[in-house]
Amino acid sequence: MRSLPSLRSGIQAGLRPSQRSVLFRVRYVSSTPSRQSSEPPAPQAEAVPGSAKGKEKEAVSSVDASQAVAQDELPLLQRPLGVREKPKARVRTWSDAKEKFMDQDKRMEERTHLAREATRGYFADLNATRKHGGKTWIAPKVMIREDKALYFPDIHGATLAGEEKAHTTNILDGKVSVVTLLTTRISEIQTAHFVEPTQKAFGSNPDFQLVQINLQDNLVKSWLVSLFTSGIKKQVPEQLWPTYMISNQNMEYLREPLGIANKHVGYVYLVDSDKKIRWAACADPKSEEVAALTTCTNVLLDRLAKQREALAAPESLPVEKQP
C-alpha cells in the first residue's frame, strides 16, 4: 500500500496542467485587448490639399456651391404669355360655359387647372414673397417674335373716365400699350418704377398709351375700391383716366396664361397694335428690365409708324407706254 505522501504527490501531478495547455494559455493571453491597448495606435493619413482626395473634396464642394447659386438665381421668361384665341369684347355667359364643357380638350384643361389649384395653399402667394420678393422670372432683353406671341385676354371693368362697360380688347386695338396689373399697394409702386421712364419718353406719342388695370376679384375689396374711386382720381393724372380700369373680373383661369404666379406683386405687359403680348415683367424692377421695356416700346412704335406711312402713301399708277 502506497504511503500518504506519495499518494498526495500523485494527485497533485494529475491535477497540474500540461505544458501544451500552459503555452496555449500564454498565447491566448498575449492576444487579449488589454495588451493591445498598451501599444500606440497606428497614425492616420491626413488629407493633403494637393492629394487626390483633397482635390476630390474641393471639386465636390465647388459643384455644390455652383448648384446652390444656380438654384438661387431667377430664370428668364421661358414661354410666350397670353391666350391663343383672339379676344372679343364681351362678357362670358352661361352658354359660353356650356360650350366650353362640351369640348373634350377644354374639359381636360379644366381638370388640370382644378388639380393645380387644389394643391396650392391658401397663403401660397404670401409665403412666396419671402423669396426674391415674389419675383419668379426675369424679363427678356428682346421682344417675343410676332409669330410666336399670344394675345392679351379680354378684361372688362369701369374706367375712371366714367365708362361702365369698358373692355381691354377695344382699348388696346391699334396702339402700342404698356399694360399694368395692380392688386396691392406694393404692386402699384413696382409697376410705377417699371413704366416711369417709358411714359416720359413716349407719353406724348399718339400711338402709345399706358393702360392700368386695378384687379380686385374679391367682392369686399372690389366694393372698398369703388368707394375710394375719388381718391384714386386724385392720384392718377386726368389724361390717364380713360385707360385706368377698375375690374372685379375673376382671373382664376387667366393666372397661368398671363404668368401670374403671385397675385400680391405687380405685372407689366408690352402689347402691340394687334393685341399680342411682346414683352412682360413682374415684381421688383431691375435696371436692365426697365431699359428693355423702353427699347422694345421704341421698336414697336417705329414699326407702327412705318406701317401707317405705307398705308397712307398713294399707290403708284402704271405708266402707259407711248406708241
Side-chain angles (χ1 to χ4, degrees):
M1 186 174 179
R2 300 175 61 180
S3 61
L4 185 59
S6 61
L7 180 62
R8 182 180 300 173
S9 60
I11 295 173
Q12 291 177 353
L15 294 176
R16 187 181 300 119
S18 63
Q19 185 177 3
R20 180 177 298 178
S21 62
V22 171
L23 292 176
F24 174 77
R25 189 171 297 175
V26 169
R27 290 177 184 175
Y28 174 77
V29 171
S30 64
S31 61
T32 54
S34 59
R35 184 160 183 180
Q36 286 183 353
S37 61
S38 61
E39 298 178 358
Q44 297 181 355
E46 297 181 0
V48 181
S51 63
K53 291 185 178 180
K55 290 182 180 180
E56 184 178 356
K57 290 182 179 180
E58 290 177 359
V60 172
S61 61
S62 62
V63 170
D64 294 341
S66 61
Q67 290 179 353
V69 172
Q71 292 177 358
D72 190 61
E73 292 180 353
L74 288 172
L76 289 172
L77 181 62
Q78 300 294 321
R79 61 183 177 87
L81 301 180
V83 295
R84 298 188 179 278
E85 297 181 0
K86 198 167 186 176
K88 299 179 181 180
R90 62 188 180 92
V91 181
R92 289 186 173 273
T93 60
W94 170 250
S95 60
D96 296 331
K98 184 178 179 180
E99 181 182 355
K100 176 181 178 180
F101 285 102
M102 292 295 291
D103 191 343
Q104 176 67 19
D105 295 335
K106 292 184 178 180
R107 287 204 306 269
M108 294 302 296
E109 292 178 1
E110 177 72 11
R111 184 179 302 177
T112 304
H113 169 76
L114 293 176
R116 182 170 55 251
E117 291 298 321
T119 56
R120 289 176 59 89
Y122 184 78
F123 298 102
D125 290 345
L126 188 61
N127 293 332
T129 57
R130 299 176 181 177
K131 187 175 183 180
H132 300 294
K135 197 177 186 71
T136 51
W137 37 268
I138 302 295
K141 295 182 179 180
V142 295
M143 290 189 300
I144 300 171
R145 286 172 44 182
E146 186 177 2
D147 58 339
K148 300 294 183 181
L150 303 178
Y151 293 99
F152 191 88
D154 182 66
I155 300 177
H156 58 84
T159 64
L160 293 182
E163 188 177 358
E164 295 295 334
K165 296 182 180 179
H167 292 263
T168 55
T169 301
N170 297 331
I171 296 175
L172 301 176
D173 189 27
K175 288 193 175 185
V176 175
S177 309
V178 173
V179 183
T180 62
L181 297 185
L182 316 174
T183 53
T184 58
R185 177 56 182 166
I186 187 64
S187 65
E188 295 179 3
I189 299 174
Q190 291 170 341
T191 55
H193 288 305
F194 260 115
V195 304
E196 184 177 2
T198 304
Q199 177 68 14
K200 287 182 178 180
F202 310 108
S204 59
N205 192 323
D207 292 331
F208 173 81
Q209 64 179 353
L210 173 62
V211 180
Q212 302 175 78
I213 304 176
N214 194 326
L215 282 172
Q216 303 297 337
D217 52 0
N218 185 289
L219 293 178
V220 177
K221 289 184 178 180
S222 177
W223 178 70
L224 291 175
V225 170
S226 63
L227 290 179
F228 295 100
T229 303
S230 59
I232 298 176
K233 287 184 176 181
K234 294 179 181 179
Q235 299 177 359
V236 179
E238 188 173 357
Q239 63 269 21
L240 298 179
W241 287 2
T243 56
Y244 190 104
M245 178 187 297
I246 300 175
S247 175
N248 59 358
Q249 179 175 333
N250 187 357
M251 298 292 291
E252 180 182 359
Y253 293 94
L254 294 177
R255 288 188 61 171
E256 196 276 335
L258 290 178
I260 304 176
N262 193 319
K263 61 183 180 181
H264 296 292
V265 300
Y267 289 84
V268 181
Y269 305 92
L270 178 61
V271 184
D272 62 11
S273 58
D274 196 28
K275 299 181 286 291
K276 287 186 175 182
I277 300 175
R278 307 297 297 277
W279 185 90
C282 67
D284 293 330
K286 296 181 178 293
S287 58
E288 58 269 21
E289 292 178 314
V290 177
L293 176 58
T294 304
T295 303
C296 294
T297 304
N298 188 25
V299 172
L300 287 181
L301 288 173
D302 289 343
R303 291 180 182 177
L304 182 59
K306 292 179 181 179
Q307 290 176 3
R308 291 187 174 177
E309 289 177 1
L311 293 175
E315 296 181 0
S316 58
L317 297 176
V319 179
E320 295 182 0
K321 293 183 178 180
Q322 296 294 333

XYZ file of all heavy atoms in Angstrom, residues 243-296:
426
model
N -57.898 105.204 -69.601
C -57.206 103.912 -69.686
C -56.894 103.324 -68.302
O -56.094 102.393 -68.211
C -55.898 104.065 -70.478
O -55.086 105.072 -69.864
C -56.189 104.433 -71.919
N -57.512 103.873 -67.260
C -57.388 103.293 -65.915
C -58.694 102.561 -65.624
O -59.754 103.174 -65.504
C -57.129 104.367 -64.864
C -56.764 103.802 -63.492
C -55.443 103.827 -63.054
C -57.725 103.247 -62.654
C -55.089 103.318 -61.810
C -57.390 102.735 -61.413
C -56.081 102.767 -60.996
O -55.741 102.247 -59.753
N -58.609 101.241 -65.499
C -59.792 100.397 -65.344
C -59.824 99.757 -63.964
O -58.808 99.269 -63.470
C -59.815 99.308 -66.426
C -60.978 98.334 -66.328
S -60.832 96.967 -67.495
C -60.917 97.845 -69.047
N -61.005 99.752 -63.360
C -61.243 99.035 -62.104
C -62.114 97.830 -62.430
O -63.236 97.985 -62.924
C -61.926 99.933 -61.059
C -61.046 101.145 -60.744
C -62.216 99.152 -59.778
C -61.689 102.139 -59.806
N -61.605 96.635 -62.177
C -62.293 95.409 -62.585
C -62.396 94.439 -61.417
O -61.469 94.317 -60.616
C -61.545 94.743 -63.742
O -62.118 93.498 -64.072
N -63.535 93.760 -61.334
C -63.720 92.675 -60.362
C -63.851 91.337 -61.074
O -64.422 90.390 -60.540
C -64.955 92.937 -59.494
C -66.233 93.058 -60.316
O -66.201 92.984 -61.543
N -67.366 93.248 -59.649
N -63.303 91.265 -62.291
C -63.380 90.032 -63.073
C -62.587 88.922 -62.393
O -61.497 89.151 -61.856
C -62.848 90.279 -64.482
C -62.855 89.054 -65.383
C -62.427 89.396 -66.790
O -62.593 90.534 -67.245
N -61.865 88.430 -67.496
N -63.129 87.715 -62.427
C -62.446 86.561 -61.850
C -61.284 86.164 -62.764
O -61.484 85.784 -63.917
C -63.432 85.399 -61.699
C -62.825 84.228 -60.946
O -61.652 84.247 -60.570
N -63.608 83.200 -60.712
N -60.060 86.251 -62.231
C -58.858 85.968 -63.007
C -58.302 84.569 -62.760
O -57.164 84.281 -63.133
C -57.784 87.003 -62.663
C -58.161 88.429 -62.994
S -58.272 88.723 -64.759
C -56.557 88.575 -65.221
N -59.100 83.707 -62.159
C -58.597 82.386 -61.777
C -58.078 81.607 -62.972
O -57.030 80.963 -62.902
C -59.717 81.599 -61.083
C -59.297 80.210 -60.636
C -60.453 79.441 -60.004
O -61.562 80.010 -59.901
O -60.240 78.278 -59.623
N -58.796 81.684 -64.100
C -58.401 80.906 -65.268
C -57.407 81.647 -66.163
O -56.975 81.107 -67.178
C -59.645 80.525 -66.081
C -60.548 79.569 -65.355
C -61.619 80.032 -64.609
C -60.317 78.199 -65.393
C -62.446 79.159 -63.916
C -61.132 77.311 -64.710
C -62.199 77.804 -63.970
O -63.001 76.932 -63.290
N -57.066 82.870 -65.808
C -56.098 83.634 -66.599
C -54.756 83.782 -65.892
O -53.834 84.375 -66.451
C -56.665 85.027 -66.905
C -57.888 85.065 -67.821
C -58.385 86.492 -67.984
C -57.576 84.463 -69.184
N -54.647 83.259 -64.683
C -53.382 83.383 -63.957
C -52.259 82.638 -64.655
O -51.164 83.171 -64.845
C -53.532 82.860 -62.523
C -54.345 83.753 -61.613
C -54.294 83.290 -60.178
N -52.933 83.295 -59.654
C -52.618 83.108 -58.385
N -53.567 82.902 -57.490
N -51.367 83.120 -57.989
N -52.505 81.431 -65.080
C -51.462 80.636 -65.738
C -51.129 81.186 -67.121
O -49.937 81.323 -67.466
C -51.898 79.175 -65.804
C -50.760 78.197 -66.103
C -50.493 78.068 -67.588
O -51.430 78.323 -68.383
O -49.366 77.730 -67.971
N -52.116 81.550 -67.975
C -51.754 82.119 -69.282
C -50.983 83.430 -69.186
O -50.102 83.692 -70.008
C -53.125 82.331 -69.956
C -54.028 81.353 -69.307
C -53.566 81.267 -67.888
N -51.287 84.261 -68.176
C -50.600 85.545 -68.033
C -49.356 85.453 -67.157
O -48.689 86.471 -66.930
C -51.558 86.589 -67.451
C -52.678 87.054 -68.380
C -53.592 88.039 -67.668
C -52.117 87.679 -69.647
N -49.038 84.258 -66.664
C -47.840 84.094 -65.842
C -47.941 84.726 -64.473
O -46.923 85.078 -63.878
N -49.165 84.864 -63.947
C -49.368 85.486 -62.639
C -49.112 84.415 -61.576
O -50.028 83.716 -61.145
C -50.785 86.077 -62.512
C -51.037 87.065 -63.644
C -50.962 86.771 -61.168
C -52.443 87.632 -63.665
N -47.873 84.280 -61.177
C -47.511 83.287 -60.167
C -47.769 83.791 -58.752
O -47.859 82.999 -57.818
C -46.043 82.885 -60.314
N -47.861 85.100 -58.583
C -48.082 85.674 -57.260
C -48.995 86.892 -57.424
O -48.621 87.876 -58.075
C -46.753 86.088 -56.619
C -46.886 86.385 -55.142
O -47.851 86.995 -54.698
N -45.906 85.956 -54.366
N -50.180 86.830 -56.857
C -51.171 87.889 -57.039
C -50.890 89.119 -56.180
O -51.613 90.115 -56.299
C -52.570 87.366 -56.719
C -52.742 86.887 -55.283
C -54.139 86.323 -55.069
C -54.328 85.839 -53.634
N -55.684 85.270 -53.434
N -49.875 89.084 -55.336
C -49.567 90.227 -54.476
C -48.576 91.194 -55.108
O -48.355 92.277 -54.556
C -49.015 89.742 -53.129
C -49.997 88.945 -52.326
N -51.129 89.487 -51.763
C -50.025 87.628 -52.001
C -51.803 88.553 -51.118
N -51.155 87.408 -51.262
N -47.956 90.823 -56.226
C -46.968 91.683 -56.872
C -47.540 92.206 -58.182
O -48.570 91.731 -58.677
C -45.649 90.929 -57.120
C -45.058 90.439 -55.810
C -45.858 89.763 -58.078
N -46.844 93.190 -58.762
C -47.310 93.806 -59.991
C -46.761 93.119 -61.229
O -45.691 92.517 -61.210
N -47.514 93.236 -62.339
C -47.122 92.645 -63.619
C -47.259 93.697 -64.718
O -48.201 94.498 -64.719
C -47.976 91.420 -63.956
C -47.666 90.236 -63.067
C -48.255 90.115 -61.809
C -46.764 89.254 -63.459
C -47.956 89.055 -60.975
C -46.459 88.182 -62.634
C -47.061 88.092 -61.395
O -46.753 87.044 -60.573
N -46.295 93.685 -65.646
C -46.233 94.658 -66.730
C -46.163 93.891 -68.044
O -45.384 92.944 -68.181
C -45.018 95.587 -66.577
C -44.986 96.614 -67.709
C -45.046 96.292 -65.234
N -46.971 94.319 -69.025
C -47.012 93.678 -70.336
C -46.897 94.752 -71.419
O -47.545 95.805 -71.337
C -48.312 92.893 -70.538
C -48.584 91.869 -69.455
C -49.335 92.213 -68.337
C -48.094 90.572 -69.549
C -49.587 91.288 -67.338
C -48.342 89.645 -68.554
C -49.087 90.007 -67.445
O -49.320 89.097 -66.461
N -46.083 94.476 -72.417
C -45.997 95.323 -73.598
C -46.816 94.665 -74.701
O -46.503 93.561 -75.145
C -44.540 95.494 -74.034
C -44.317 96.321 -75.299
C -44.835 97.744 -75.129
C -42.840 96.335 -75.678
N -47.883 95.359 -75.124
C -48.840 94.801 -76.085
C -48.762 95.621 -77.365
O -48.782 96.864 -77.315
C -50.267 94.825 -75.515
C -51.249 94.165 -76.479
C -50.307 94.124 -74.152
N -48.673 94.927 -78.499
C -48.584 95.635 -79.776
C -49.965 96.033 -80.278
O -50.987 95.810 -79.617
C -47.829 94.785 -80.805
C -48.536 93.470 -81.123
O -49.707 93.297 -80.706
O -47.923 92.604 -81.775
N -50.022 96.626 -81.464
C -51.296 97.113 -82.008
C -52.259 95.995 -82.375
O -53.457 96.234 -82.552
C -51.023 97.972 -83.246
O -50.303 97.228 -84.224
N -51.755 94.768 -82.464
C -52.610 93.613 -82.765
C -53.028 92.874 -81.495
O -53.510 91.746 -81.553
C -51.885 92.658 -83.714
C -52.831 91.669 -84.374
O -54.025 92.004 -84.537
O -52.384 90.547 -84.702
N -52.794 93.492 -80.343
C -53.188 92.976 -79.018
C -52.394 91.730 -78.628
O -52.877 90.881 -77.877
C -54.695 92.692 -78.964
C -55.558 93.920 -79.205
C -57.027 93.599 -79.129
C -57.488 92.857 -80.353
N -57.487 93.689 -81.564
N -51.156 91.600 -79.123
C -50.283 90.484 -78.757
C -49.257 90.933 -77.732
O -48.719 92.037 -77.819
C -49.564 89.917 -79.987
C -50.470 89.120 -80.913
C -49.658 88.468 -82.010
C -50.538 87.568 -82.867
N -49.753 86.881 -83.930
N -48.985 90.062 -76.750
C -48.011 90.360 -75.702
C -46.611 90.100 -76.250
O -46.252 88.971 -76.564
C -48.268 89.501 -74.453
C -49.669 89.771 -73.890
C -47.220 89.765 -73.383
C -50.049 88.883 -72.722
N -45.803 91.166 -76.352
C -44.470 91.043 -76.933
C -43.363 91.090 -75.882
O -42.202 90.814 -76.193
C -44.252 92.178 -77.943
C -45.344 92.283 -79.008
C -45.401 91.035 -79.876
N -44.176 90.875 -80.594
C -43.901 91.505 -81.755
N -44.789 92.319 -82.287
N -42.759 91.285 -82.366
N -43.725 91.424 -74.640
C -42.723 91.519 -73.568
C -43.481 91.544 -72.253
O -44.626 92.008 -72.179
C -41.892 92.784 -73.744
C -40.747 92.961 -72.801
C -39.460 92.541 -72.978
C -40.765 93.629 -71.537
N -38.686 92.886 -71.909
C -39.464 93.574 -71.003
C -41.758 94.264 -70.797
C -39.126 94.109 -69.771
C -41.442 94.816 -69.567
C -40.136 94.741 -69.058
N -42.859 91.036 -71.178
C -43.534 91.000 -69.878
C -42.506 91.019 -68.766
O -41.360 90.584 -68.932
C -44.414 89.753 -69.758
N -42.922 91.528 -67.600
C -42.060 91.600 -66.414
C -42.947 91.514 -65.177
O -44.176 91.672 -65.256
C -41.242 92.884 -66.403
N -42.307 91.276 -64.034
C -43.077 91.135 -62.799
C -42.260 91.597 -61.602
O -41.026 91.673 -61.646
C -43.511 89.678 -62.588
S -42.153 88.530 -62.262
N -42.980 91.943 -60.522
C -42.419 92.252 -59.201
C -41.414 93.409 -59.270
O -41.579 94.333 -60.075
C -41.817 90.993 -58.585
N -40.395 93.369 -58.423
C -39.435 94.472 -58.326
C -38.650 94.619 -59.628
O -38.104 93.636 -60.143
C -38.462 94.237 -57.166
C -39.158 94.305 -55.818
O -40.150 95.051 -55.707
O -38.707 93.620 -54.874
N -38.577 95.836 -60.163
C -37.875 96.027 -61.444
C -36.362 96.040 -61.273
O -35.827 96.542 -60.290
C -38.377 97.399 -61.910
C -38.706 98.121 -60.651
C -39.188 97.083 -59.675
N -35.685 95.472 -62.248
C -34.238 95.578 -62.359
C -33.904 96.626 -63.421
O -34.704 96.881 -64.324
C -33.627 94.225 -62.725
C -33.819 93.154 -61.654
C -33.172 91.850 -62.077
C -33.310 90.793 -60.988
N -32.536 91.150 -59.791
N -32.752 97.217 -63.309
C -32.377 98.301 -64.222
C -32.384 97.835 -65.674
O -32.833 98.560 -66.570
C -31.004 98.845 -63.847
O -30.018 97.810 -63.875
N -31.903 96.606 -65.917
C -31.890 96.115 -67.293
C -33.297 95.837 -67.813
O -33.563 95.954 -69.019
C -31.032 94.845 -67.400
C -31.460 93.693 -66.497
C -30.778 93.709 -65.146
O -30.294 94.798 -64.753
O -30.739 92.657 -64.497
N -34.215 95.484 -66.916
C -35.597 95.262 -67.334
C -36.277 96.579 -67.716
O -37.025 96.647 -68.703
C -36.377 94.578 -66.216
C -35.949 93.149 -65.936
C -36.722 92.534 -64.785
O -36.876 93.198 -63.744
O -37.176 91.384 -64.922
N -36.042 97.617 -66.921
C -36.617 98.932 -67.227
C -36.093 99.440 -68.566
O -36.850 99.978 -69.394
C -36.298 99.924 -66.094
C -36.816 101.310 -66.430
C -36.903 99.446 -64.778
N -34.802 99.258 -68.805
C -34.224 99.682 -70.084
C -34.773 98.861 -71.244
O -35.021 99.397 -72.339
C -32.699 99.562 -70.022
N -35.000 97.570 -71.030
C -35.531 96.713 -72.093
C -36.953 97.118 -72.469
O -37.326 97.090 -73.651
C -35.501 95.252 -71.651
N -37.766 97.521 -71.488
C -39.127 97.964 -71.784
C -39.117 99.208 -72.664
O -39.878 99.303 -73.641
C -39.876 98.236 -70.481
C -41.295 98.814 -70.623
C -42.180 97.887 -71.439
C -41.907 99.079 -69.252
N -38.266 100.168 -72.359
C -38.173 101.386 -73.167
C -37.699 101.069 -74.581
O -38.238 101.594 -75.571
C -37.223 102.393 -72.499
O -37.672 102.643 -71.166
C -37.191 103.689 -73.262
N -36.707 100.207 -74.708
C -36.163 99.860 -76.024
C -37.201 99.130 -76.879
O -37.394 99.456 -78.059
C -34.912 98.990 -75.866
O -33.944 99.681 -75.077
C -34.316 98.640 -77.214
N -37.882 98.155 -76.292
C -38.877 97.381 -77.049
C -40.068 98.255 -77.442
O -40.629 98.104 -78.540
C -39.340 96.189 -76.228
S -38.044 94.963 -75.912
